Amino acid sequence: METAKLRGIHVPLITPFTADGRLDRAALEKLAHGVLDEGAAGLVALGTTGEPGALDAAEQAAVVGICARVCAERGAALLVGVGGGATRQVAAALQDVTPGATAALTLVPPFVRPGAAGVLAHFRELTAASPVPLVAYHIPYRTGQALDAETLRELASVPGMAGVKLATGAVDPEVVALLAGELPPHFAVLGGDDVVLPPLLALGAAGGILASAHIATARWVELVDAWQAGDVARARELGHRLSRLAAALFAEPNPTVIKGVLHARGRIPSPAVRLPLLPANAASVSRALDLAVSTG
């Protein structure tokens, strides 16, 4: 299985709904092209930001199909979210990942807290079964399972692992140790906590999977480029502004504020989300809009 290194900004697309709650396929396709036009390296279909648990099977298939077609047309990377906590369940779901996907994004097993050895065994089983490389989604404040740097480096050595989406909520010592250590050349460390992506890039992360990159996509791409070019002054200044924007976009449950901003800018037909989410309040959307304007 060929594993090409993932780099740059990957946008986990929201799922646009019409005012009466139906999937808006045309808006999704337009949004996908829009973020790629601004320099995003790829798309994530059925990430958390896309409300996959609120979509039925036909809607999920439509979302993946649209994203796959756009990525194929544009030569962009496509990651597909594959959920579930039981190893056999996830292994079976991976068999249905759309042909041509760059990788599947799948959680460190949530809720069961299997320990480091169990996490490694889980991913070894999945990579053996998967037709595409995997990116582990490490988000311990949702899964309940923390992993140390040694475990993450061992995960990187598992054949078929393309990277990890790090969303630990902070730049903690384990993250610093991971980025400071030797990793296989194909294994990408991608930031997944939008507010702390700038320091992760400074430490050597290859890019990010960022819901905030729906907004000011080109500036997020510029941030990655600045760090990789060694333009520290520009990267710091831009990183500070983008972190403030990200904080505003996550002031309410994701993706409610992002949808509010996209709707206010005329990029999606409605800010609608599906229960248990509720639309963001006007003050949160207004604050994020102001910061988006000042960020450029």
Side-chain angles (χ1 to χ4, degrees):
M1 182 191 307
E2 184 178 352
T3 306
K5 185 161 184 177
L6 297 164
R7 297 181 182 277
I9 295 297
H10 302 261
V11 182
L13 286 178
I14 59 110
T15 301
F17 299 123
T18 60
D20 60 357
R22 293 176 290 109
L23 172 65
D24 192 318
R25 291 166 170 79
L28 177 62
E29 183 166 353
K30 184 178 179 181
L31 188 62
H33 279 293
V35 297
L36 294 177
D37 286 342
E38 291 196 50
L43 307 176
V44 181
L46 304 183
T48 306
T49 305
E51 303 172 70
L55 305 178
D56 63 31
E59 290 170 328
Q60 290 185 359
V63 166
V64 173
I66 290 167
C67 291
R69 184 174 68 254
V70 171
C71 286
E73 291 173 2
R74 303 294 298 272
L78 172 65
L79 278 64
V80 178
V82 178
T87 305
R88 288 196 296 174
Q89 173 192 352
V90 180
L94 285 167
Q95 301 307 306
D96 296 327
V97 171
T98 185
T102 308
L105 177 66
T106 186
L107 275 170
V108 169
F111 303 111
V112 294
R113 303 179 67 180
V119 170
L120 291 169
H122 171 79
F123 279 103
R124 289 191 184 101
E125 188 81 9
L126 295 185
T127 55
S130 178
V132 298
L134 301 184
V135 173
Y137 187 2
H138 182 35
I139 183 165
Y141 54 87
R142 291 187 185 270
T143 65
Q145 176 68 69
L147 300 174
D148 61 19
E150 180 180 353
T151 302
L152 289 167
R153 280 196 289 270
E154 190 170 349
L155 180 65
S157 71
V158 174
M161 292 302 305
V164 60
K165 177 183 176 180
L166 278 179
T168 60
V171 184
D172 58 44
E174 299 301 340
V175 172
V176 174
L178 171 69
L179 289 165
E182 291 188 8
L183 294 170
H186 66 274
F187 189 83
V189 176
L190 301 170
D193 265 315
D194 302 37
V195 172
V196 297
L197 180 68
L200 284 181
L201 292 171
L203 289 167
I209 297 175
L210 296 184
S212 296
H214 283 85
I215 314 299
T217 312
R219 299 287 77 77
W220 286 106
V221 173
E222 184 182 349
L223 175 67
V224 173
D225 291 345
W227 277 118
Q228 292 183 349
D231 187 349
V232 175
R234 176 57 176 159
R236 283 178 174 169
E237 184 272 335
L238 190 55
H240 290 321
R241 287 194 282 136
L242 288 169
S243 288
R244 289 192 290 271
L245 173 61
L249 292 169
F250 278 80
E252 297 190 40
N254 183 44
T256 61
V257 180
I258 291 169
K259 280 191 163 184
V261 172
L262 290 172
H263 174 60
R265 289 184 155 188
R267 294 179 65 191
I268 58 174
S270 164
V273 290
R274 288 181 178 172
L275 288 171
L277 294 174
L278 296 171
N281 68 59
S284 295
V285 174
S286 178
R287 165 71 173 158
L289 275 167
D290 289 345
L291 286 168
V293 170
S294 65
T295 301

